[in-house]
Amino acid sequence: MITGRTYMGHLGYSLPAYCVPYILGQPAKFSDLRKEFHSAFRNMESVEMTTISLKRHLTSEDLATDETKKQRLSEIDFTAESDGTLQETVLQTKKAIETESIAEAPLTKAEEDDGSEGEDELLEGEPGDGDPESFADMMKYGLTELDVGITKFVSSHEGFSGILKERYSDFVVHEIGKDGKIIYLNDLSVPADDEDPSEDIYSVLSEDEKKRLEDLQLFKNKESNVSIEVVDDSKEKRTVIHQAVKGLFPGLETKTEDRDGKKYIVAYHAAGKKALSNPRKHSWPKSRGSFCHFVLYKENKDTMDAINVLSKFLRVKPNIFSYMGTKDKRAITVQAIAVLKITAQRLSHLNKCLMNFKLGNFTYQKNPLKLGELQGNHFTVVLRNITGTHEQVEQAMNSLRDIGFINYYGMQRFGTTAVPTYQVGRAILQSNWNEMIDLILKPRPGAEKGYLVQCREVWAKTKDPDAALRKLPVKRCVEGQLLRGLSKYGLKNIVTAFGIIPRNNRLMYIHSYQSYVWNNMVSKRIEEYGLHVVPGDLVLKGATAIVLDESNIHSYTIHDVVMPLPGFDVIYPKHKVAAAYEEMLATDKLDINNMRHRVKDYSLAGAYRKILIRPQDVSWEVVAYDDTKVPLVRSDIEKLEGKPLPVFNTEGKYRALKMEFSLPPSTYATMAIREVLKMDTSIKKQTQLNTVWLR
């Protein structure tokens, strides 16, 4: 999922979002790709995606045939199945497995109201790990951009191909903080604090003991614990040893044991329910803010994975962490994190035992961070093995800088299974609860884990939630949560049963429907009026939308024009597109003039979204390289270590386009890259264009 902040209200959700690695325009060796995908689905801890081949560019025929152009909005096909965005498939299924301790955590007001980055990460069932061919099978049922209203470009250059995310280090994301400054990891020091234990305490441990403890923490030995004899049997000495072990090795817990008249400090792994306790009971200086803010650098880990790892090693619950937006897995990402009453010293020691993480820039603050507070994200993106000429690249990047791109919601917004999330959202808005349950639980084409297939089959045959639930070893996915609700409240109380799913996840469905409508309407607006501001368009004055007329349209540009997401608290354009909104919702048996729902949570107030986004701080260069394994971007860690900048040859076997740009919240970077390359970003389209996937 790629996002500038990642949505309406977390590249739309906060790039974060980000997409899977694509080989846009390049052939790929099928045997290698098949093995890679098969391995990825089998091992959810190592979801290294390979690339997908695309053989040709989009043509006008791909985007809209004459027949499609003539098709009335009321005839739009709502039956297309599955987004098929592989990165989100993996991210979302990982969510279902690895965020159990988070799903039940109470939401803050900001989290409840925010429709941003995390929204794309709906907890759904896992993709299958059976036949390696199943990936291609699943993609046959995926959505294309056309299915979700993504049909237009605003630039005139000829498209070209390039590889996005061939390496995860080709995609680097830095948050832009509340102050508008890009957040970097550039300081690993710990602020001086008299309340923290002195570094001298670590001298009580011998080098051999430290080595044994380190191996224990990293699961490198067969021991389940490490015992340290206390020669000087005093409470003060034991306290110092306890502090030293816990300070140097945050993943371990300690206890004191008596053995044959001698006392030992026993260190052991703190994994498990008892370990995930509240922050330790100890004095926290009143003069020090209750929250330690820090910058988290991570490689190939999404935000929730990272929080789970940190919470496990610190022996705390994940919900004491807060952040401004989530970041996807397949990238190098840098973001601000806040944690309640954990010292910077203790956090700093995690740097000694965690791979692909680095924590720094520690400060103590009075308040946590809140979703939606970030100002956007700054991206450094490398598109490898580009085919565009110098003139094509310059034209494409100049257009991106000067005109921008259509602010579409990206493909990951619409789900990753064979039932698009917007269809579920539409059923909720219609109060068609039986259809909603059917859409979520019914058997579907495409690849899924065997147990999920069995669960759906049992549900289809018996409509018995308990019987279906018994087929699920993982109960935290949406299907499992819904079945638990139906088991508890019965089939006659579907609304209450559905409510067992965390609020943000439920709202993702209806926000997906809003996004689906918006994409279609903005395409209609561009088709009708191009990039001209016309009477009847909407612009914002503060938070209020006003309708333009002949007297004031010359005071605005297309970059000021907004379009509404449908709701009861918005106005609609006063030109042809207004009728298109009404017609589209009427086709879906919804009243555009009555978007309030009898269940308050599902009432849609609506919002406004700019139709074009012009990235800021745009820069680019074309570099030559021979070795595909050589990094083309210097990371924050490499800068801290003083490693030199990559040296590029004037000539090389391959050429790469290295670009940088900043995007505001609720903006998808994939859509910016789409505008540069002129490519359909849906995997279904790519697998159609490269028929080797369908053999």
Side-chain angles (χ1 to χ4, degrees):
M1 152 183 67
I2 294 184
T3 65
R5 174 173 110 22
T6 295
Y7 302 131
M8 279 304 302
H10 199 203
L11 233 268
Y13 132 87
S14 173
L15 211 83
Y18 319 103
C19 58
V20 299
Y22 303 119
I23 292 189
L24 300 179
Q26 303 301 321
K29 187 177 179 181
F30 179 57
S31 59
D32 294 339
L33 292 170
R34 182 176 63 183
K35 291 175 184 177
E36 189 75 36
F37 279 114
H38 185 42
S39 173
F41 282 132
R42 290 184 63 86
N43 182 6
M44 300 307 291
E45 261 310 301
S46 179
V47 283
E48 294 275 344
M49 297 298 98
T50 187
T51 49
I52 304 168
S53 174
L54 188 65
K55 285 187 173 179
R56 62 178 174 83
H57 301 290
L58 290 174
T59 67
S60 57
E61 292 180 356
D62 294 322
L63 294 175
T65 62
D66 289 341
E67 181 179 356
T68 302
K69 289 180 179 179
K70 296 174 183 177
Q71 183 183 36
R72 296 169 61 248
L73 278 170
S74 60
E75 296 171 342
I76 290 176
D77 178 15
F78 293 107
T79 62
E81 296 178 302
S82 179
D83 169 349
T85 304
L86 180 59
Q87 173 73 353
E88 292 309 308
T89 301
V90 177
L91 288 175
Q92 294 174 14
T93 55
K94 282 172 68 62
K95 293 281 189 250
I97 297 173
E98 299 175 355
T99 62
E100 292 191 19
S101 56
I102 297 168
E104 297 298 316
L107 295 174
T108 64
K109 186 67 170 69
E111 289 172 320
E112 290 180 342
D113 293 344
D114 185 66
S116 63
E117 296 178 29
E119 284 208 350
D120 285 345
E121 302 181 26
L122 207 57
L123 305 183
E124 295 173 329
E126 296 178 61
D129 65 349
D131 186 346
E133 307 295 341
S134 62
F135 175 73
D137 293 337
M138 182 170 64
M139 290 307 99
K140 293 177 184 178
Y141 303 98
L143 294 171
T144 66
E145 290 184 346
L146 182 62
D147 294 324
V148 295
I150 302 173
T151 61
K152 304 297 180 183
F153 295 101
V154 294
S155 54
S156 58
H157 70 275
E158 181 182 351
F160 54 92
S161 66
I163 308 173
L164 172 62
K165 289 191 176 183
E166 181 177 35
R167 299 169 57 87
Y168 70 78
S169 57
D170 289 344
F171 205 99
V172 182
V173 188
H174 291 85
E175 276 188 343
I176 301 174
K178 291 183 286 185
D179 58 2
K181 295 181 179 178
I182 299 173
I183 294 173
Y184 294 100
L185 179 74
N186 51 27
D187 183 2
L188 300 181
S189 65
V190 176
D193 194 322
D194 294 337
E195 299 291 337
D196 287 335
S198 167
E199 291 287 332
D200 295 338
I201 69 169
Y202 303 123
S203 62
V204 301
L205 299 174
S206 68
E207 291 304 314
D208 178 65
E209 289 168 341
K210 290 178 182 177
K211 180 65 169 61
R212 291 170 61 208
L213 289 165
E214 180 181 2
D215 288 347
L216 176 66
Q217 174 158 272
L218 298 177
F219 298 96
K220 288 184 177 180
N221 57 20
K222 297 181 180 180
E223 297 177 279
S224 61
N225 60 67
V226 169
S227 299
I228 301 170
E229 183 179 353
V230 184
V231 179
D232 178 9
D233 183 16
S234 67
K235 185 175 181 180
E236 291 76 16
K237 179 64 179 291
R238 294 199 302 272
T239 298
V240 170
I241 295 176
H242 283 296
Q243 290 177 336
V245 173
K246 293 170 186 175
L248 280 175
F249 306 100
L252 302 179
E253 184 60 277
T254 59
K255 60 184 177 181
T256 302
E257 287 186 358
D258 285 310
R259 300 177 185 172
D260 301 324
K262 297 180 181 179
K263 281 191 165 52
Y264 292 84
I265 303 295
V266 180
Y268 59 95
H269 271 286
K273 293 182 180 178
K274 292 182 180 179
L276 294 175
S277 58
N278 290 320
R280 292 182 172 280
K281 303 289 185 183
H282 65 279
S283 60
W284 188 268
K286 293 182 179 179
S287 60
R288 185 165 69 189
S290 294
F291 295 88
C292 184
H293 287 222
F294 61 95
V295 172
L296 174 63
Y297 168 100
K298 55 191 181 298
E299 298 182 4
N300 214 28
K301 282 281 186 184
D302 69 34
T303 300
M304 293 316 306
D305 287 343
I307 295 298
N308 284 336
V309 170
L310 297 180
S311 63
K312 179 179 177 180
F313 273 82
L314 294 169
R315 305 179 300 280
V316 296
K317 290 183 178 179
N319 62 0
I320 71 168
F321 291 87
S322 58
Y323 43 87
M324 297 184 291
T326 64
K327 302 289 176 283
D328 278 351
K329 175 186 173 70
R330 192 175 174 81
I332 292 176
T333 60
V334 182
Q335 68 181 117
I337 304 285
V339 62
L340 176 65
K341 292 187 177 180
I342 300 291
T343 64
Q345 187 184 56
R346 192 173 168 198
L347 291 166
S348 176
H349 284 304
L350 292 172
N351 288 333
K352 301 176 183 179
C353 55
L354 295 180
M355 297 287 289
N356 298 328
F357 287 86
K358 197 68 75 174
L359 288 66
N361 297 80
F362 301 102
T363 61
Y364 291 108
Q365 305 288 341
K366 294 181 179 179
N367 300 308
L369 295 170
K370 296 180 181 178
L371 282 171
E373 288 184 323
L374 76 168
Q375 294 298 303
N377 288 282
H378 183 77
F379 300 95
T380 304
V381 179
V382 174
L383 300 176
R384 292 181 181 254
N385 200 14
I386 61 169
T387 61
T389 64
H390 174 77
E391 291 74 19
Q392 287 175 322
V393 171
E394 289 297 303
Q395 188 179 0
M397 293 306 300
N398 279 312
S399 177
L400 182 67
R401 180 192 62 198
D402 300 337
I403 300 175
F405 60 96
I406 302 173
N407 194 19
Y408 286 122
Y409 287 95
M411 294 302 297
Q412 62 269 30
R413 183 74 160 181
F414 305 101
T416 57
T417 69
V419 176
T421 52
Y422 72 78
Q423 289 186 1
V424 180
R426 182 176 59 201
I428 294 170
L429 294 172
Q430 294 169 340
S431 295
N432 192 339
W433 304 111
N434 289 321
E435 181 181 353
M436 177 201 73
I437 288 181
D438 186 53
L439 287 169
I440 295 175
L441 295 180
K442 71 179 181 180
R444 59 196 58 184
E448 285 190 309
K449 285 287 187 184
Y451 59 73
L452 196 53
V453 172
Q454 294 173 18
C455 169
R456 297 189 190 285
E457 290 175 348
V458 170
W459 172 257
K461 292 177 182 177
T462 68
K463 293 297 187 288
D464 182 344
D466 292 313
L469 196 58
R470 284 194 290 271
K471 298 296 182 181
L472 291 180
V474 178
K475 306 294 194 292
R476 295 290 182 176
C477 59
V478 163
E479 293 85 355
Q481 290 173 324
L482 178 55
L483 288 168
R484 283 198 299 120
L486 292 172
S487 175
K488 183 174 182 179
Y489 298 106
L491 295 176
K492 293 184 179 180
N493 295 294
I494 295 176
V495 176
T496 306
F498 185 54
I500 201 171
I501 298 173
R503 183 176 184 271
N504 269 12
N505 290 342
R506 286 181 279 122
L507 297 186
M508 287 178 204
Y509 288 117
I510 60 174
H511 292 162
S512 175
Y513 178 75
Q514 281 184 304
S515 305
Y516 172 71
V517 172
W518 193 91
N519 278 1
N520 278 281
M521 292 301 98
V522 79
S523 292
K524 181 73 173 176
R525 163 63 181 77
I526 296 294
E527 181 179 330
E528 289 288 344
Y529 305 112
L531 302 184
H532 303 289
V533 182
V534 298
D537 275 335
L538 304 178
V539 297
L540 292 180
K541 277 197 172 181
T544 304
I546 63 170
V547 181
L548 298 182
D549 56 32
E550 292 288 358
S551 67
N552 57 9
I553 62 172
H554 302 296
S555 301
Y556 299 94
T557 72
I558 191 65
H559 295 97
D560 299 311
V561 176
V562 297
M563 296 269 287
L565 282 85
F568 60 78
D569 198 26
V570 295
I571 62 173
Y572 294 88
K574 302 299 182 185
H575 47 51
K576 291 181 181 180
V577 179
Y581 269 99
E582 188 171 350
E583 184 179 6
M584 186 171 186
L585 267 69
T587 301
D588 288 341
K589 299 185 172 108
L590 296 172
D591 183 357
I592 198 169
N593 298 310
N594 183 20
M595 299 303 290
R596 295 186 186 274
H597 199 281
R598 67 182 183 86
V599 180
K600 187 177 179 181
D601 272 357
Y602 310 138
S603 292
L604 290 178
Y608 298 101
R609 180 177 177 87
K610 286 191 172 183
I611 67 174
L612 251 61
I613 290 293
R614 189 161 44 192
Q616 300 299 305
D617 310 315
V618 179
S619 63
W620 67 93
E621 63 175 326
V622 175
V623 298
Y625 65 101
D626 292 306
D627 187 350
T628 58
K629 297 180 181 179
V630 172
L632 301 182
V633 177
R634 190 169 65 150
S635 70
D636 287 12
I637 298 301
E638 290 170 330
K639 292 176 184 177
L640 277 169
E641 294 172 349
K643 291 186 178 179
L645 287 166
V647 177
F648 303 117
N649 302 322
T650 54
E651 298 292 336
K653 186 176 179 181
Y654 308 105
R655 294 160 61 242
L657 172 58
K658 178 182 174 183
M659 64 174 88
E660 291 195 43
F661 53 87
S662 297
L663 293 177
S666 186
T667 309
Y668 288 74
T670 39
M671 295 296 100
I673 295 166
R674 168 186 182 267
E675 188 72 40
V676 170
L677 296 176
K678 292 287 184 74
M679 293 289 182
D680 184 321
T681 59
S682 69
I683 294 182
K684 177 178 180 180
K685 193 66 177 179
Q686 294 169 45
T687 56
Q688 288 175 345
L689 296 178
N690 186 352
T691 55
V692 67
W693 279 100
L694 304 179
R695 290 178 184 171

